[in-house]
Amino acid sequence: MNSYDLVTQSQPTFYFIGVTTASSSIMRVFPLWMKALGRPDVQIVGVDCKIHDAPAVYRSVVEHIRRDPLSLGALVTTHKIDLLAAARDLFDDLDPYARLTHEVSSISKRGERLRGHAKDPISAGKSIDAILEPGYFRQTGADVLCYGAGGAGTAIALHFMGKTSAADRPRQLTLTDCRPDRLEEIISLTSELRPQFAVHTAATREQGISDRLLEQLPERSLVINATGMGKDTPGSPISDAAVFPRNCIVWELNYRGELDFMQQASAQRDDRGLRIEDGWLYFLHGWTQVIAEVLDVPIEGAVFVELAAIAAQTRGK
């Protein structure tokens, strides 16, 4: 449904605010998870908004969740920054990450209060820690290149900025984007938090910049597609002529869609010795973090493992 179709539901409802929600695996997984968590009465309803939709659209969604007693909350993808910019005054509480990054990925309620959380730094961090062994950067001297400085890119930067051990921090982190305002936000964040490693930004409006940044990386670096390209929008942040560094780790944050970036990496996997990860684990952590917040139930340890196993059974169906 689009955001203007929201109506009061007849049962407790968890909303999924995205772009193409019907094709997400969560629509199959969510009912199974609710059964496992003892909440089979909770349904999921997708809300599709245009990328950078009108502020009135975002406000209508948040206002509905706020006033409808059977609306439990929501997970927000793609629209995290735009939604909060349009509806900030409707929230009673924002967590520190939401205030710092000016975005919300989780909308929940506690009594009469509407709450917004930015869960991506936690979700991204759990995913990165599963991909990289402890001390990876000290062992390799690798850098990180993240295409995309929106919500996911900012979350990744915050995760590395929060690392207490130098062995787990890159020598250099570069974030790219075609929007100057997003790069300015990263610069402001860096100035405020003063990370103990170099943070660079690069505008990618000019053709070829993304390819050159990739080819200048040292071996074994971590290269991330956090642009949404290949799922929410067509294409890839790099050209087919781009060459990945040898033995690098390629992390595609999407797990569905055309996945052009991942296909480009796959074509060089054997020749360049690439290790390629998709966004499935990020999907699991992202959803379970928000569901835990909305339903006010802990999802960690054995419970997370159980939910991950349930989701794995539906993958590809």
Side-chain angles (χ1 to χ4, degrees):
M1 65 172 58
N2 65 45
S3 55
Y4 291 111
D5 293 330
L6 293 183
V7 295
T8 300
Q9 302 290 319
S10 60
Q11 65 189 93
T13 302
F14 184 111
Y15 288 98
F16 172 20
I17 304 166
V19 179
T20 55
T21 57
S23 57
S24 173
S25 294
I26 198 62
M27 306 310 275
R28 298 185 298 275
V29 172
F30 190 89
L32 302 176
W33 280 0
M34 291 303 101
K35 184 177 179 180
L37 293 172
R39 292 297 308 271
D41 57 317
V42 179
Q43 68 171 343
I44 186 169
V45 171
V47 182
D48 289 345
C49 300
K50 298 174 184 176
I51 297 175
H52 307 309
D53 216 327
V57 172
Y58 297 122
R59 288 189 67 85
S60 73
V61 176
V62 177
E63 285 171 343
H64 174 84
I65 294 170
R66 183 184 178 94
R67 69 171 180 266
D68 176 19
L70 288 177
S71 295
L72 304 180
L75 179 140
V76 186
T77 64
T78 306
H79 313 286
K80 306 176 189 103
I81 295 172
D82 291 331
L83 183 143
L84 184 58
R88 190 182 188 103
D89 60 299
L90 299 177
F91 287 90
D92 299 298
D93 303 302
L94 294 173
D95 82 337
Y97 276 139
R99 295 194 298 270
L100 186 64
T101 61
H102 310 291
E103 67 168 66
V104 291
S105 59
S106 169
I107 301 173
S108 60
K109 293 177 175 178
R110 292 294 183 271
E112 298 292 321
R113 302 187 72 79
L114 190 71
R115 307 159 75 235
H117 290 78
K119 292 292 187 180
D120 277 3
I122 300 170
S123 304
K126 287 180 176 292
S127 302
I128 290 170
D129 288 346
I131 291 170
L132 304 178
E133 60 266 28
Y136 181 81
F137 292 103
R138 175 170 290 169
Q139 296 167 21
T140 64
D143 291 346
V144 177
L145 172 59
C146 180
Y147 293 112
T154 301
I156 289 164
L158 282 170
H159 168 70
F160 284 121
M161 290 179 190
K163 285 292 187 182
T164 56
S165 171
D168 297 319
R169 297 191 297 261
R171 179 184 65 89
Q172 178 174 285
L173 166 64
T174 301
L175 296 107
T176 77
D177 212 283
C178 61
R179 290 178 50 180
D181 59 317
R182 287 183 171 177
L183 298 178
E184 289 167 5
E185 285 288 338
I186 293 294
I187 293 169
S188 175
L189 195 65
T190 302
S191 177
E192 182 176 351
L193 298 180
R194 299 183 180 279
Q196 295 180 307
F197 56 90
V199 178
H200 300 295
T201 59
T204 52
R205 288 187 178 274
E206 294 182 19
Q207 190 173 11
I209 290 178
S210 294
D211 290 6
R212 289 197 295 273
L213 288 170
L214 181 67
E215 292 163 9
Q216 291 167 3
L217 287 173
E219 292 189 12
R220 302 187 70 181
S221 289
L222 173 62
V223 185
I224 306 166
N225 177 27
T227 64
M229 296 181 74
K231 181 177 78 74
D232 294 333
T233 59
S236 165
I238 60 174
S239 77
D240 287 339
V243 178
F244 285 86
R246 291 190 181 279
N247 305 312
C248 75
I249 299 174
V250 181
W251 186 23
E252 164 62 77
L253 260 60
N254 301 318
Y255 73 92
R256 63 183 175 93
E258 296 300 320
L259 304 179
D260 303 68
F261 180 79
M262 193 168 176
Q263 291 184 36
Q264 290 167 323
S266 296
Q268 299 181 38
R269 185 201 307 263
D270 294 339
D271 183 55
R272 307 296 291 175
L274 307 183
R275 175 181 158 197
I276 303 172
E277 304 282 348
D278 71 3
W280 182 252
L281 186 59
Y282 192 32
F283 162 81
L284 295 177
H285 282 302
W287 273 97
T288 54
Q289 285 288 318
V290 175
I291 290 171
E293 190 67 54
V294 172
L295 299 186
D296 197 17
V297 296
I299 301 178
E300 53 193 18
V303 176
F304 176 82
V305 172
E306 179 187 3
L307 298 189
I310 290 170
Q313 295 171 9
T314 72
R315 193 171 187 188
K317 293 184 178 180

